[in-house]
Amino acid sequence: MSKITAEHLCRSAIIYIRQSTTYQVVNNLESQRRQYGLAERARQLGWSDVQIVDDDLGRSGAGAARPGSEKLLAAICEGRVGAVVSLEASRLARNGRDWHTLLEFCGLVGTLIVDEDGVYDPRLVNDRLLLGMKATMSEMELSVFRQRSIEALRQKAHRGELLLTVAVGYVKAEDGRIEKDPDRRVQDGIALVFRKFAELQSVRQVLVWFRQEQVLVPAGLQGRDKHATEWKAPVYRPDGRGRHPAGWPNQHSH
C-alpha cells in the first residue's frame, strides 16, 4: 500500500483481462468474473478512474497479435497509467521479450503492477527481481506445456492415429473412422474430377476443362464446422512441391 502515491492515483488503473483460447472464453466464466472483479479491487486501493482492457480474450499470451496488450503498452508510454492490474502479473506477457519491455516502460514512467499477491514497483530492485522470476516461471511453464503437447502428437503419429485434417469428400465419424461424405453431390463432384483425369491424363488439362466449363468443385471451409463444404472454381497454386490444385482431392485418396 505504501507504494501507491497520489501521483499514481491521479492516473488511470487499467484492468488487463485475457484468456488464452475461445474455449476458455465460452466455458471458463468463473475466471472471467474474477478478472472483471479486479476493477473493484482497484477502487478499494484508491483509484477512481478504472478502465478495462479485454481485447485479448481468446488470444494466447504466446501469440503475435494481441491488440489489448498493444493498447495497454501505448497507454503506459503516454504516462496515463498509474497501475496495471491483472489476476497474475505473469499473465501480462508470457514472452520474455514482451515482459521485460513492459517492465522497462513501467519503470520509466512510474507505473505500478498489481496482482492478487501484491503491489509491485518496477523501479525497485527487489520488486523487479520478483517480477522477473514470475515471468521466467510463466515462460518455462508455457514451454513445458508446449513440449508435452508436441510429444503427445508424436506418440499419436507413431501409432498411426494422428489425424489433423480430413480430405475433401470424407468425414470423420464419432468413433474415429473415416467415411465418405454422405452428401451425394460431393461424391459426384469428386468422382467427376477423377473421371476427367482418366480421360485427359493431365491435371492441368482437367483444371482447364473445369474452368472453361465453369464447373465448381467441393472444398472444405477453413476454421468452420468440420462438415461444412463450399463450392468454388478450382485454382492452381504451383509451389514446386507437387501439390495439387487447391481444394482438389489427392489422386491416391479414392
Side-chain angles (χ1 to χ4, degrees), residues 133-180:
M133 290 175 62
K134 284 195 170 195
T136 300
M137 293 174 64
S138 178
E139 194 170 14
M140 177 60 70
E141 179 185 41
L142 182 64
S143 177
V144 170
F145 287 158
R146 185 182 295 114
Q147 186 62 33
R148 287 177 180 173
S149 177
I150 291 173
E151 288 302 323
L153 289 175
R154 286 176 178 169
Q155 293 266 351
K156 201 168 184 179
H158 185 71
R159 295 195 305 269
E161 299 175 0
L162 180 62
L163 180 65
L164 300 179
T165 59
V166 180
V168 176
Y170 288 97
V171 294
K172 184 178 180 181
E174 292 184 359
D175 59 3
R177 292 183 299 108
I178 305 301
E179 300 176 344
K180 282 189 175 183

Side-chain angles (χ1 to χ4, degrees), residues 160-209:
E161 299 175 0
L162 180 62
L163 180 65
L164 300 179
T165 59
V166 180
V168 176
Y170 288 97
V171 294
K172 184 178 180 181
E174 292 184 359
D175 59 3
R177 292 183 299 108
I178 305 301
E179 300 176 344
K180 282 189 175 183
D181 193 314
D183 189 328
R184 187 66 187 181
R185 185 189 174 198
V186 172
Q187 294 183 23
D188 291 343
I190 292 177
L192 177 60
V193 173
F194 286 100
R195 285 201 306 270
K196 296 307 296 184
F197 179 74
E199 175 187 337
L200 301 173
Q201 296 294 305
S202 167
V203 171
R204 184 179 181 281
Q205 291 302 315
V206 173
L207 173 64
V208 170
W209 183 87

Side-chain angles (χ1 to χ4, degrees), residues 1 21 35 42 109 114 140 179 185 191 208 223 231 244-245 250:
M1 289 294 294
T21 64
Q35 293 187 67
V109 300
V114 182
M140 177 60 70
E179 300 176 344
R185 185 189 174 198
V208 170
W231 292 82
H244 300 286
N250 187 293

Side-chain angles (χ1 to χ4, degrees), residues 42-246:
R43 294 187 183 96
Q44 292 174 355
L45 290 174
W47 274 276
S48 57
D49 181 9
V50 179
Q51 302 176 19
I52 292 177
V53 174
D54 56 5
D55 305 66
D56 291 344
L57 280 173
R59 297 176 183 270
S60 170
R66 288 192 296 145
S69 179
E70 294 171 5
K71 181 189 297 184
L72 173 63
L73 190 59
I76 291 172
C77 293
E78 292 170 2
R80 297 189 284 109
V81 183
V84 180
V85 187
S86 67
L87 206 58
E88 301 170 6
S90 61
R91 293 187 66 81
L92 294 171
R94 301 193 77 174
N95 172 296
R97 179 194 59 194
D98 292 347
W99 177 251
H100 289 290
T101 298
L102 177 67
L103 287 187
E104 189 67 29
F105 283 115
C106 285
L108 286 173
V109 300
T111 297
L112 302 177
I113 292 178
V114 182
D115 66 9
E116 287 194 323
D117 295 328
V119 178
Y120 311 93
D121 186 343
R123 294 175 296 184
L124 301 178
V125 175
N126 286 341
D127 282 10
R128 197 178 183 90
L129 176 62
L130 183 55
L131 288 170
M133 290 175 62
K134 284 195 170 195
T136 300
M137 293 174 64
S138 178
E139 194 170 14
M140 177 60 70
E141 179 185 41
L142 182 64
S143 177
V144 170
F145 287 158
R146 185 182 295 114
Q147 186 62 33
R148 287 177 180 173
S149 177
I150 291 173
E151 288 302 323
L153 289 175
R154 286 176 178 169
Q155 293 266 351
K156 201 168 184 179
H158 185 71
R159 295 195 305 269
E161 299 175 0
L162 180 62
L163 180 65
L164 300 179
T165 59
V166 180
V168 176
Y170 288 97
V171 294
K172 184 178 180 181
E174 292 184 359
D175 59 3
R177 292 183 299 108
I178 305 301
E179 300 176 344
K180 282 189 175 183
D181 193 314
D183 189 328
R184 187 66 187 181
R185 185 189 174 198
V186 172
Q187 294 183 23
D188 291 343
I190 292 177
L192 177 60
V193 173
F194 286 100
R195 285 201 306 270
K196 296 307 296 184
F197 179 74
E199 175 187 337
L200 301 173
Q201 296 294 305
S202 167
V203 171
R204 184 179 181 281
Q205 291 302 315
V206 173
L207 173 64
V208 170
W209 183 87
F210 271 82
R211 301 288 292 192
Q212 288 178 342
E213 299 297 324
Q214 298 183 351
V215 177
L216 305 182
V217 295
L221 284 172
Q222 295 295 326
R224 303 188 187 181
D225 183 81
K226 60 184 179 180
H227 293 143
T229 302
E230 65 176 342
W231 292 82
K232 59 184 182 181
V235 294
Y236 186 67
R237 301 178 187 142
D239 62 1
R241 288 178 286 182
R243 290 183 177 175
H244 300 286

